[in-house]
mmCIF file of all heavy atoms in Angstrom:
data_model
loop_
_atom_site.group_PDB
_atom_site.id
_atom_site.type_symbol
_atom_site.label_atom_id
_atom_site.label_comp_id
_atom_site.label_asym_id
_atom_site.label_seq_id
_atom_site.Cartn_x
_atom_site.Cartn_y
_atom_site.Cartn_z
ATOM 1 N N TYR A 97 -4.221 18.623 -10.270
ATOM 2 C CA TYR A 97 -3.152 17.706 -10.651
ATOM 3 C C TYR A 97 -3.004 16.623 -9.593
ATOM 4 O O TYR A 97 -2.884 16.920 -8.400
ATOM 5 C CB TYR A 97 -1.837 18.471 -10.794
ATOM 6 C CG TYR A 97 -1.754 19.290 -12.050
ATOM 7 C CD1 TYR A 97 -2.530 20.429 -12.219
ATOM 8 C CD2 TYR A 97 -0.908 18.909 -13.092
ATOM 9 C CE1 TYR A 97 -2.469 21.182 -13.388
ATOM 10 C CE2 TYR A 97 -0.844 19.652 -14.265
ATOM 11 C CZ TYR A 97 -1.627 20.778 -14.402
ATOM 12 O OH TYR A 97 -1.561 21.508 -15.562
ATOM 13 N N CYS A 98 -2.995 15.376 -10.049
ATOM 14 C CA CYS A 98 -2.868 14.227 -9.152
ATOM 15 C C CYS A 98 -1.654 13.399 -9.540
ATOM 16 O O CYS A 98 -1.398 13.214 -10.736
ATOM 17 C CB CYS A 98 -4.100 13.334 -9.240
ATOM 18 S SG CYS A 98 -5.618 14.054 -8.622
ATOM 19 N N CYS A 99 -0.965 12.894 -8.533
ATOM 20 C CA CYS A 99 0.096 11.939 -8.832
ATOM 21 C C CYS A 99 -0.437 10.533 -8.595
ATOM 22 O O CYS A 99 -1.423 10.335 -7.881
ATOM 23 C CB CYS A 99 1.353 12.202 -8.004
ATOM 24 S SG CYS A 99 1.210 11.834 -6.257
ATOM 25 N N ALA A 100 0.213 9.580 -9.213
ATOM 26 C CA ALA A 100 -0.226 8.196 -9.147
ATOM 27 C C ALA A 100 0.970 7.266 -9.213
ATOM 28 O O ALA A 100 2.017 7.623 -9.762
ATOM 29 C CB ALA A 100 -1.194 7.891 -10.296
ATOM 30 N N ALA A 101 0.794 6.067 -8.640
ATOM 31 C CA ALA A 101 1.858 5.069 -8.613
ATOM 32 C C ALA A 101 1.375 3.790 -9.276
ATOM 33 O O ALA A 101 0.243 3.348 -9.041
ATOM 34 C CB ALA A 101 2.267 4.787 -7.160
ATOM 35 N N SER A 102 2.256 3.210 -10.080
ATOM 36 C CA SER A 102 1.913 1.998 -10.813
ATOM 37 C C SER A 102 2.880 0.874 -10.492
ATOM 38 O O SER A 102 4.091 1.050 -10.574
ATOM 39 C CB SER A 102 1.947 2.278 -12.319
ATOM 40 O OG SER A 102 1.786 1.083 -13.049
ATOM 41 N N ARG A 103 2.314 -0.304 -10.187
ATOM 42 C CA ARG A 103 3.137 -1.491 -9.964
ATOM 43 C C ARG A 103 3.416 -2.239 -11.270
ATOM 44 O O ARG A 103 4.217 -3.166 -11.294
ATOM 45 C CB ARG A 103 2.436 -2.441 -9.001
ATOM 46 C CG ARG A 103 2.255 -1.902 -7.594
ATOM 47 C CD ARG A 103 1.392 -2.845 -6.774
ATOM 48 N NE ARG A 103 0.039 -2.954 -7.312
ATOM 49 C CZ ARG A 103 -0.929 -3.665 -6.772
ATOM 50 N NH1 ARG A 103 -0.699 -4.338 -5.663
ATOM 51 N NH2 ARG A 103 -2.118 -3.712 -7.314
ATOM 52 N N GLY A 104 2.741 -1.847 -12.323
ATOM 53 C CA GLY A 104 2.856 -2.568 -13.571
ATOM 54 C C GLY A 104 4.206 -2.420 -14.231
ATOM 55 O O GLY A 104 4.946 -1.463 -13.975
ATOM 56 N N SER A 105 4.517 -3.346 -15.107
ATOM 57 C CA SER A 105 5.810 -3.344 -15.781
ATOM 58 C C SER A 105 5.741 -2.743 -17.172
ATOM 59 O O SER A 105 6.762 -2.545 -17.821
ATOM 60 C CB SER A 105 6.353 -4.766 -15.884
ATOM 61 O OG SER A 105 5.430 -5.588 -16.578
ATOM 62 N N SER A 106 4.537 -2.450 -17.647
ATOM 63 C CA SER A 106 4.420 -1.886 -18.990
ATOM 64 C C SER A 106 4.881 -0.442 -18.980
ATOM 65 O O SER A 106 4.887 0.222 -17.963
ATOM 66 C CB SER A 106 2.986 -1.998 -19.489
ATOM 67 O OG SER A 106 2.127 -1.230 -18.668
ATOM 68 N N TRP A 107 5.226 0.040 -20.140
ATOM 69 C CA TRP A 107 5.682 1.426 -20.302
ATOM 70 C C TRP A 107 5.136 1.924 -21.616
ATOM 71 O O TRP A 107 5.106 1.162 -22.587
ATOM 72 C CB TRP A 107 7.214 1.495 -20.274
ATOM 73 C CG TRP A 107 7.749 2.894 -20.398
ATOM 74 C CD1 TRP A 107 8.323 3.462 -21.492
ATOM 75 C CD2 TRP A 107 7.686 3.916 -19.386
ATOM 76 N NE1 TRP A 107 8.638 4.774 -21.223
ATOM 77 C CE2 TRP A 107 8.258 5.074 -19.952
ATOM 78 C CE3 TRP A 107 7.209 3.959 -18.087
ATOM 79 C CZ2 TRP A 107 8.375 6.269 -19.237
ATOM 80 C CZ3 TRP A 107 7.309 5.149 -17.391
ATOM 81 C CH2 TRP A 107 7.890 6.276 -17.958
ATOM 82 N N PRO A 108 4.631 3.129 -21.723
ATOM 83 C CA PRO A 108 5.000 4.306 -20.952
ATOM 84 C C PRO A 108 3.982 4.759 -19.901
ATOM 85 O O PRO A 108 4.097 5.869 -19.402
ATOM 86 C CB PRO A 108 5.143 5.368 -22.044
ATOM 87 C CG PRO A 108 4.130 5.001 -23.052
ATOM 88 C CD PRO A 108 4.077 3.507 -23.037
ATOM 89 N N HIS A 109 3.036 3.935 -19.537
ATOM 90 C CA HIS A 109 2.131 4.279 -18.440
ATOM 91 C C HIS A 109 1.380 5.581 -18.675
ATOM 92 O O HIS A 109 1.362 6.455 -17.840
ATOM 93 C CB HIS A 109 2.915 4.411 -17.121
ATOM 94 C CG HIS A 109 3.370 3.117 -16.549
ATOM 95 N ND1 HIS A 109 4.620 2.597 -16.807
ATOM 96 C CD2 HIS A 109 2.757 2.226 -15.751
ATOM 97 C CE1 HIS A 109 4.745 1.452 -16.188
ATOM 98 N NE2 HIS A 109 3.640 1.186 -15.532
ATOM 99 N N THR A 110 0.711 5.688 -19.786
ATOM 100 C CA THR A 110 -0.039 6.895 -20.093
ATOM 101 C C THR A 110 -1.520 6.791 -19.754
ATOM 102 O O THR A 110 -2.244 7.782 -19.853
ATOM 103 C CB THR A 110 0.114 7.266 -21.570
ATOM 104 O OG1 THR A 110 -0.386 6.182 -22.357
ATOM 105 C CG2 THR A 110 1.571 7.525 -21.927
ATOM 106 N N ASN A 111 -1.975 5.607 -19.391
ATOM 107 C CA ASN A 111 -3.391 5.400 -19.109
ATOM 108 C C ASN A 111 -3.644 5.317 -17.612
ATOM 109 O O ASN A 111 -2.896 4.667 -16.885
ATOM 110 C CB ASN A 111 -3.871 4.113 -19.767
ATOM 111 C CG ASN A 111 -3.720 4.157 -21.261
ATOM 112 O OD1 ASN A 111 -4.346 4.973 -21.931
ATOM 113 N ND2 ASN A 111 -2.875 3.287 -21.797
ATOM 114 N N SER A 112 -4.739 5.929 -17.180
ATOM 115 C CA SER A 112 -5.028 5.965 -15.742
ATOM 116 C C SER A 112 -5.261 4.575 -15.167
ATOM 117 O O SER A 112 -4.948 4.320 -14.002
ATOM 118 C CB SER A 112 -6.233 6.872 -15.468
ATOM 119 O OG SER A 112 -7.375 6.412 -16.157
ATOM 120 N N TYR A 113 -5.768 3.637 -15.980
ATOM 121 C CA TYR A 113 -6.049 2.296 -15.468
ATOM 122 C C TYR A 113 -4.773 1.505 -15.146
ATOM 123 O O TYR A 113 -4.825 0.460 -14.509
ATOM 124 C CB TYR A 113 -6.930 1.497 -16.425
ATOM 125 C CG TYR A 113 -6.337 1.237 -17.795
ATOM 126 C CD1 TYR A 113 -5.358 0.263 -17.980
ATOM 127 C CD2 TYR A 113 -6.770 1.948 -18.907
ATOM 128 C CE1 TYR A 113 -4.824 0.012 -19.228
ATOM 129 C CE2 TYR A 113 -6.245 1.703 -20.166
ATOM 130 C CZ TYR A 113 -5.268 0.728 -20.315
ATOM 131 O OH TYR A 113 -4.744 0.494 -21.553
ATOM 132 N N GLU A 114 -3.644 2.017 -15.583
ATOM 133 C CA GLU A 114 -2.372 1.349 -15.294
ATOM 134 C C GLU A 114 -1.847 1.677 -13.903
ATOM 135 O O GLU A 114 -0.856 1.122 -13.458
ATOM 136 C CB GLU A 114 -1.330 1.774 -16.319
ATOM 137 C CG GLU A 114 -1.670 1.347 -17.741
ATOM 138 C CD GLU A 114 -0.630 1.801 -18.739
ATOM 139 O OE1 GLU A 114 -0.767 2.935 -19.257
ATOM 140 O OE2 GLU A 114 0.317 1.053 -18.987
#
Side-chain angles (χ1 to χ4, degrees):
Y97 285 70
C98 293
C99 70
S102 173
R103 295 173 296 183
S105 58
S106 63
W107 182 255
H109 287 94
T110 60
N111 299 297
S112 59
Y113 62 77
E114 296 179 271

